[in-house]
Amino acid sequence: MNASVSWLSAFVDAGKSANELRDLLTAHTATVEEVVTLRADLAPIVVARVVEEAAHPDSDHLHVTKVDMGTGELLDVVCGAPNVAAGKLYPFAPTGTLLPNGIRIEKRKIRGQTSNGMLCSARELGLGDEHDGIMELDVDVAPGTHFLDAVPIGDKRLVIDVLPNRPDLLSHLGVAREVAAITGVALTLPDIGVSDIVVPEARRFRRAGNAGGIVMHLEDTRLASRYMGVVIRGVSVGPSPQWLVDRLAAIGARAINNVVDASNYVLHELGQPTHAFDLNKVDPLPKMPERTIVIRSAKDGESILTLDGVTRTLTSDVTVIADSMHPIAIAGVMGGRETEVDAATTDIFVEVANFDPSRTRRTRRAVGLSTDASYRFERGVDIALAPRALERVAALILSLAGGEITSPPVDLYAGDLPHTAIVLRVERVARVIGIPIEGERIAALLRSIGCMADVDDRGAAVHVVPPSWRRDLRIDADLIEDIARLHGYDALPDEIRPYRPGTSSDAPLWTLAARLRDALSAAGLFEARPTPFVAGDASHVRVLNPLAESEGHLRQTLLETLATRAEYNLSHMQRNVRLYEVGAAFAPGADALPDETMRVALLVMGDRDPAHFTNAKPSQFDEWDAKGLAEVVVRAVGVEQWSLERSHEGGDLLWTIVVDGAARGHVSRVRLDAPVWASPAFGVEFVLRAVSNGDVAPPGEHAHDEPVPPPPRTPEKYRPLPTTPASEFDLALLLPAGVSAAEVERVIRMAAGELLERLAAFDVYEGVGVDAGHRSVAWRLTLRHPERTLRDKEIEGRRAKILSALTSELNVRQRST
Amino acid sequence: MLSDTPTLEEYLAYAADLTARGAAAFTAAADEDALETARIQFLGDKRGELLLLQRALGALPADSRRDAGRAFNDAKTRLTTTHDERQLTVRHATTRAPHLDLTMPARHRWQGAKHPVTVVIDEIVGIFRELGFTVALGPESESEWYNFGALNFPPDHPALDMHDTLYLGEGALLRTHTSPVQVRTLQRYAPPIRILAPGTAFRRDPFDASHAPAFAQIEGLAVDEGISFVDLKATLTHFAQRFFGKTRTRFRPSHFPFTEPSAEMDVECRLCGGAGCSACKGTGWMEILGSGLVHPSVLEAAGVDSERYTGWAFGMGPARIAMLRYDLPDIRLLYDSDMRFLQQVAE
């Protein structure tokens, strides 16, 4: 909403500057996003005093002056105006100024005398036609003051962010009401010279009525809850007076002609859209004695040429104003070209309607056109405003364009709904706002915004009937908001009051995600937060209305989007990628809602370590790094029983992460659209848990009585540290083809029994000295007895037992040295 | 040299002489090679002088062996100790050889980091945690009821439009805010409730410098008997001053379907400090969050008695705060996962 400060002042003369109004409205009503200085082209002009004045030596009409523009030095200025006089103040354009008429003021010599700037006339400043002389200023300001600050010329525009619950603020009347409520200054309708004009009172009908030569017919009250019209005959269409042109310009609208401008003026003054039709073009060939105007749904395929020159084909979603033949306006959006008021128009039909908000939204969408009118109808126009607006617009047209009203206006309206008072408990107000406010103060605040408010006998409750323009005030909470904002949010104390702890503890997934982020950041990876959209295919969850087909589905796995991010890095010549994410993935579900899971995933490629002169060619991330990171993940998650099962499928899958017998994730090679210089990429993905998107409880109910399981906790328990020495020995073993390290380890563990403290493979060798098809793998075993030192004989016995078990079970023998 | 049949006196004198010579030789050794030569001479396994001294023990009369043995042990200890000490010194000297250029760079491991948005969220959570808040989470795929209906959005509210919200099916969508977690939490847990709900929300906004179709949001909710607008204002003001440092705050009337009264909180513009600049359109303020008292119909939708309980809620965008904090010109930097960017802003 654009509001002109001078227009607001015509409603409520609160004596506030634009910035003061901005701060008051922002603090109490709606945010003023910006204060726009109009006539910014006059910003360089300053007020200057002519200190000395003398006739130009070489001219009979020029004057040579010394001018004080507040800089401390006097400027030589040559001036041709007859009225220049020493001691007086004038608008002054210093050198460098670009005047509104396009002339740039430069330092120059005029008949031998230097002139540093120009004293200006009203016309030179674009302030009228006056050019008999320079503009003498009768103001009490110091030289150097900006002209716009000294003279009430530059109106300012408040750009107000009006939220959907306050359509009443979409007019100067509405904003002025708030200013009046906040400042306590009385509100009056601006004097636009129509106080003597009498507009006959409207006659009310339910669905149809004759407005004097035209029959109005409202086909369905769901399209418009009120439809008023008046015929004015004998108007002369012409340009609007300057005050009206200025008013419209101040809010960014362009003047067109006196009839259209009157309609536009009333829209911005009162918030009521109105529309004038050229009566003689409505139903030019009436079948009945009277012309007809109908408010109805459009028929599919009907079309209309609107005022913006576009022919629009309509659907039944659209409400139209039609004559007996075809649509002549799109209701609440825009009029038609065929019935446009132009210079030849003499008789007009003025419509003042209240179109249904959601129907207007559908209409606006169907035709793809938003206007000042549709914007207001969609948000809701005060139902009681139509008669006032009709009187205002009719009077203004009569005053500007002449003509006469020969037949009373018609008001198609079912009548006001009965008011029911909202009972507002004073105690409740205190409880919600947090400070006690007396009943009388509550009533006064609410009255200031137009409510009827009566405090009951005991002072415990206020009975409130909101005004017709505040349909958003329905329950006590709505009223409490207005009380709080009018009292002032900033006037409330900032004291933190005692509170009770909540009944919920941290979501286990949150704690888990934090642990994973710490572990993976410590492992040298960076957290990514990509969006979950992928091109995808039928196996993915589809977005019904995606922004682009390339983002038409939701990822099923996090690695899908991490792979894209790796490719992004490769495309920016970044070959070292180490990314992880904790996020959601989606799979098609049993109904419209997908199955959502929370996961962790990571992707690594490139150098395992940062380049260093001791390691000129760092090794690259490989399967073993990925496996290790998978173990970092599983340990951070803290599951009890897990294993990494090697994949037998071949392909990119390396290991499956199995938890409690079920596959929960995997380690794999990641195929990328990668340049030749890129290293192989490896990924890990692990499902943390399913996220329920089902109902916690049916609407209106809760599930407070259902027990909430406490988050699982499995702290490591202390085991006594060893006090006895350990014994170590190595086994270099020959593994025939097909025997895995895991099998060997299993046999070793079985045979070694409880004494085996640690088992670690430390070398793998294939080649000279090892039979073809065999691998030599060396393990180091650490044995320890918890209570005593192991004897050599015991260790030797264990070693023999292990070797014998390996030979018999796996045909694995010791490698001969 | 010692005779084949030395007397005890001869043995003791020789042991002392050997000890003195050996210690002197070790101490004189300038490098590891010299020390090794001396070691072989005195402590060698095959012909070391100490070995000869040990063998000579057997040639002594039986009654002299005890004193001689002690002298031998002293000599052995003294020589071994002197050698080992010298070895440490010599080895240290060798490793500090002049060819080591200590101006060369250090060796590092890769450093990782949390995402800047996570860092911001963690910091916000940390401040509210001191005031008794815990973290709650909810699904990103939501039903229309939790996302809109339960939050008091009228059925014809523009937000429900296909133009603004990403739908997955009939009544199923990607949540447009984290506020559904309010309803889920209120249904699940009895008051008092004090939770923060960080998470991802979605809008049908194409990527541009300041919009993303998926973005981080953090929600706060406090519900109990006697919770008021003063609690809201005081808590959020406290938060702002903890998070941004000393700053003025202001609360402006606003409108959200699920709060009444509603308010937006501003802090002094981070760029101009409140003086007014182009970033804040001359107001000196910067919007940080939206908030309000929970609308009674939201409490009722979650089965909570709105007469007995009141509450407040807020929502804010950690990505926007991250943009302010790291001076980011484009929000896409937060989603591209460019390694160079993530390294740059790692904390």
Side-chain angles (χ1 to χ4, degrees), chain A residues 501-718:
Chain A
T503 54
S504 66
S505 45
D506 275 341
L509 257 182
W510 177 255
T511 319
L512 186 52
R515 267 209 311 267
L516 284 163
R517 288 189 180 109
D518 285 340
L520 292 172
S521 299
L525 279 68
F526 286 92
E527 187 185 9
R529 282 178 163 265
T531 62
F533 305 106
V534 294
D537 55 33
S539 69
H540 291 78
V541 174
R542 169 126 189 96
V543 179
L544 289 189
N545 53 339
L547 282 158
E549 272 315 306
S550 60
E551 302 178 347
H553 293 89
L554 298 181
R555 63 181 175 190
Q556 252 180 332
T557 65
L558 304 195
L559 272 176
E560 290 170 64
T561 42
L562 282 183
T564 315
R565 294 300 98 207
E567 286 165 359
Y568 177 91
N569 276 286
L570 291 173
S571 73
H572 289 78
M573 310 306 284
Q574 296 296 301
R575 46 185 303 278
N576 296 327
V577 180
R578 305 181 311 283
L579 293 171
Y580 74 88
E581 187 194 355
V582 185
F586 308 85
D591 54 15
L593 278 168
D595 290 335
E596 183 174 329
T597 48
M598 197 69 169
R599 293 156 176 251
V600 57
L602 61 93
L603 183 149
V604 288
M605 65 189 298
D607 296 347
R608 177 182 291 132
D609 292 298
H612 190 254
F613 66 91
T614 54
N615 183 18
K617 282 196 170 173
S619 53
Q620 304 294 292
F621 278 111
D622 62 17
E623 291 83 352
W624 311 110
D625 296 298
K627 190 177 188 187
L629 287 166
E631 294 185 2
V632 167
V633 166
V634 178
R635 290 210 181 88
V637 171
V639 291
E640 301 265 316
Q641 295 290 325
W642 61 272
S643 59
L644 290 177
E645 303 288 344
R646 105 187 122 131
S647 163
H648 296 282
E649 296 169 16
D652 294 331
L653 181 64
L654 295 166
W655 292 276
T656 303
I657 306 173
V658 177
V659 176
D660 292 331
R664 284 271 294 277
H666 60 87
V667 182
S668 61
R669 298 186 186 93
V670 181
R671 300 259 170 228
L672 298 175
D673 182 6
V676 287
W677 45 261
S679 310
F682 297 89
V684 175
E685 176 133 3
F686 185 81
V687 179
L688 299 175
R689 61 192 280 173
V691 178
S692 167
N693 48 23
D695 290 359
V696 178
E701 296 176 26
H702 64 70
H704 295 171
D705 302 329
E706 283 175 34
V708 180
R713 276 184 205 176
T714 52
E716 280 294 317
K717 295 282 194 266
Y718 167 74

Side-chain angles (χ1 to χ4, degrees), chain A residues 652-816:
Chain A
D652 294 331
L653 181 64
L654 295 166
W655 292 276
T656 303
I657 306 173
V658 177
V659 176
D660 292 331
R664 284 271 294 277
H666 60 87
V667 182
S668 61
R669 298 186 186 93
V670 181
R671 300 259 170 228
L672 298 175
D673 182 6
V676 287
W677 45 261
S679 310
F682 297 89
V684 175
E685 176 133 3
F686 185 81
V687 179
L688 299 175
R689 61 192 280 173
V691 178
S692 167
N693 48 23
D695 290 359
V696 178
E701 296 176 26
H702 64 70
H704 295 171
D705 302 329
E706 283 175 34
V708 180
R713 276 184 205 176
T714 52
E716 280 294 317
K717 295 282 194 266
Y718 167 74
R719 281 163 286 120
L721 300 175
T723 54
T724 54
S727 299
E728 285 184 350
F729 62 87
D730 297 344
L731 287 179
L733 301 174
L734 277 177
L735 276 59
V739 173
S740 73
E743 287 170 297
V744 171
E745 291 199 354
R746 181 183 53 80
V747 171
I748 293 176
R749 284 180 198 282
M750 286 287 293
E754 289 176 0
L755 294 181
L756 182 65
E757 185 179 86
R758 187 167 172 273
L759 174 64
F762 67 90
D763 189 35
V764 177
Y765 176 72
E766 286 172 80
V768 178
V770 174
D771 297 346
H774 284 59
R775 285 184 296 159
S776 165
V777 184
W779 273 272
R780 177 156 297 160
L781 289 80
T782 307
L783 270 58
R784 192 195 303 266
H785 191 284
E787 279 144 23
R788 59 181 172 77
T789 307
L790 285 172
R791 286 171 311 210
D792 288 353
K793 238 172 78 182
E794 282 177 292
I795 296 166
E796 204 39 59
R798 247 359 116 124
R799 182 188 171 99
K801 190 177 166 198
I802 293 167
L803 286 172
S804 125
L806 285 169
T807 308
S808 61
E809 290 190 36
L810 298 174
N811 193 24
V812 166
R813 289 167 208 286
Q814 199 165 8
R815 183 179 167 199
S816 51

Side-chain angles (χ1 to χ4, degrees), chain A residues 31 361 365 432 478 481 489 492 500 503 506-507 527 544-545 565 569 596 612 693-694 696 700 703-704, chain B residues 105 118 135 140-141 146 156 161-162 165 167 184 186-187 190 204 224 229 233 252 260 262 301 336 339:
Chain A
T31 301
R361 186 170 307 131
R365 270 196 211 130
V432 171
D478 302 323
E481 173 168 73
Y489 289 170
L492 296 173
R500 299 196 287 174
T503 54
D506 275 341
E527 187 185 9
L544 289 189
N545 53 339
R565 294 300 98 207
N569 276 286
E596 183 174 329
H612 190 254
N693 48 23
V696 178
H704 295 171
Chain B
T118 304
V135 174
E140 293 174 13
S141 52
Y146 276 105
D156 64 344
D161 200 88
M162 293 282 280
T165 298
Y167 279 88
R184 290 183 174 275
L186 287 169
Q187 281 191 315
R204 202 166 173 276
D224 198 0
F229 197 90
K233 191 187 169 204
R252 290 177 285 114
E260 190 91 79
S262 303
D336 285 345
M339 290 291 291

Side-chain angles (χ1 to χ4, degrees), chain B residues 34-54:
Chain B
L35 184 63
E36 182 61 9
T37 310
R39 189 192 66 82
I40 290 167
Q41 184 190 338
F42 293 99
L43 298 174
D45 291 343
K46 289 178 178 148
R47 262 184 261 169
E49 290 192 35
L50 192 68
L51 195 69
L52 300 178
L53 187 67
Q54 186 180 13

Side-chain angles (χ1 to χ4, degrees), chain A residues 384-405:
Chain A
L385 186 59
R388 291 180 67 188
L390 183 134
E391 185 186 348
R392 188 82 166 163
V393 72
L396 190 52
I397 290 169
L398 292 174
S399 127
L400 301 177
E404 60 176 333
I405 297 172

